[in-house]
Amino acid sequence: MSKRIYILNGHPAETSLNRALAESYAVAARAAGHEVRLTHIAAMDFDPDHGFAGFGKTKPLEPALERLLADIEWAEHVVLTAPMWWGGIPAKLKGAIDRAFLPGRTFDSRVPRGKMPKPLLSGRSARLILTSDTPRWFLSLIYRNAILHQMRGQILRFVGIKPTRVSFFSAASSPGAGQVDGWLANVGQLGKAGV
C-alpha cells in the first residue's frame, strides 16, 4: 500500500552522508510506488532565530518554512535524516523547528491550565535516521539517549507524530570498508517498505 512520504535531510551541507541516506530512501520509496517529497535543509532560505520570548509575537514564516509545514501536513510518514553534533541536531534544523512548529499550526495551547497542549499533526508516523561518531552503546549508557528523547518525545510526539522509529549509524566520519554501502542498502529497504 503506497504512502505519502516527506523526507527532510537536516544536514546543512550541500553534500553529506545524510543527503545520500535521504536520497537512497527517496529512490527506493518512489520505485516501490510511494509518493515522495524530499527537501534538503541546505537549500532552504529562512531566519532560524525565533527572536522573541514566548509565542506572543512571531515573525511571518518564509516560503521555505511554509513549504516545510505544508509537506509535513501532506505526509502520512515523515523521514528526518540528521547528524548528531554535540549531542543534538544541527542549528539550522533546530531553527526550522523553532520557527515553524508554532501554536495553532502544530499544536494547540488553548487547553485548561495544567494540561499539555493538544497535538495538531496526529495520524503521521516517522523515521529518524541519525549519523554519529558516538557508538550506540555509549549514546544509550552514558548520554541516556538524550537526542532520541528530544526528537521523539519533546518534538515529534509533542506535535502528534508517532510512532517514531530510529535508525542510528555510528562511526560516520570514518566508516569501515563497505559500511556506507550497507547503510544505504538498509535505508533503501526502509524506503521500499515506507517505514
Side-chain angles (χ1 to χ4, degrees):
M1 188 145 166
S2 69
K3 289 182 183 174
R4 295 187 308 274
I5 301 173
Y6 176 57
I7 305 165
L8 175 61
N9 165 27
H11 198 297
E14 286 293 327
T15 61
S16 67
L17 173 58
N18 291 100
R19 183 183 189 109
L21 292 167
E23 290 175 351
S24 179
Y25 189 105
V27 167
R30 286 186 181 116
H34 301 292
E35 290 181 68
V36 176
R37 295 181 184 177
L38 170 61
T39 302
H40 300 289
I41 204 159
M44 294 176 65
D45 185 23
F46 63 94
D47 178 0
D49 186 6
H50 178 68
F52 301 106
F55 291 113
K57 286 178 70 176
T58 59
K59 301 175 189 175
L61 294 181
E62 293 89 343
L65 294 177
E66 286 289 355
R67 277 192 306 277
L68 170 71
L69 285 172
D71 286 338
I72 292 172
E73 290 165 349
W74 165 84
E76 296 171 291
H77 185 62
V78 177
V79 177
L80 177 63
T81 69
M84 183 176 81
W85 288 348
W86 295 107
I89 56 176
K92 190 171 183 181
L93 176 56
K94 181 63 167 55
I97 294 166
D98 289 348
R99 287 287 315 286
F101 282 31
L102 297 172
R105 191 74 180 263
T106 62
F107 64 94
D108 186 352
S109 57
R110 297 169 303 166
V111 295
R113 186 179 183 99
K115 298 285 185 183
M116 289 296 289
K118 179 183 173 187
L120 297 178
L121 295 176
S122 298
R124 292 160 184 82
S125 58
R127 166 72 56 179
L128 181 59
I129 300 171
L130 289 172
T131 59
S132 177
D133 287 333
T134 302
R136 184 70 171 94
W137 68 266
F138 197 90
L139 178 72
S140 175
L141 186 63
I142 305 302
Y143 295 148
R144 307 277 194 236
N145 289 320
I147 191 171
L148 303 184
H149 291 296
Q150 179 194 35
M151 295 304 298
R152 264 199 305 218
Q154 294 175 292
I155 296 174
L156 296 172
R157 189 180 303 130
F158 186 85
V159 297
I161 301 174
K162 62 182 182 180
T164 297
R165 294 175 180 87
V166 177
S167 297
F168 186 84
F169 302 112
S170 62
S173 294
S174 55
Q179 201 166 15
V180 170
D181 290 338
W183 296 341
L184 293 171
N186 179 295
V187 167
Q189 288 301 311
L190 297 173
K192 181 179 178 180
V195 296

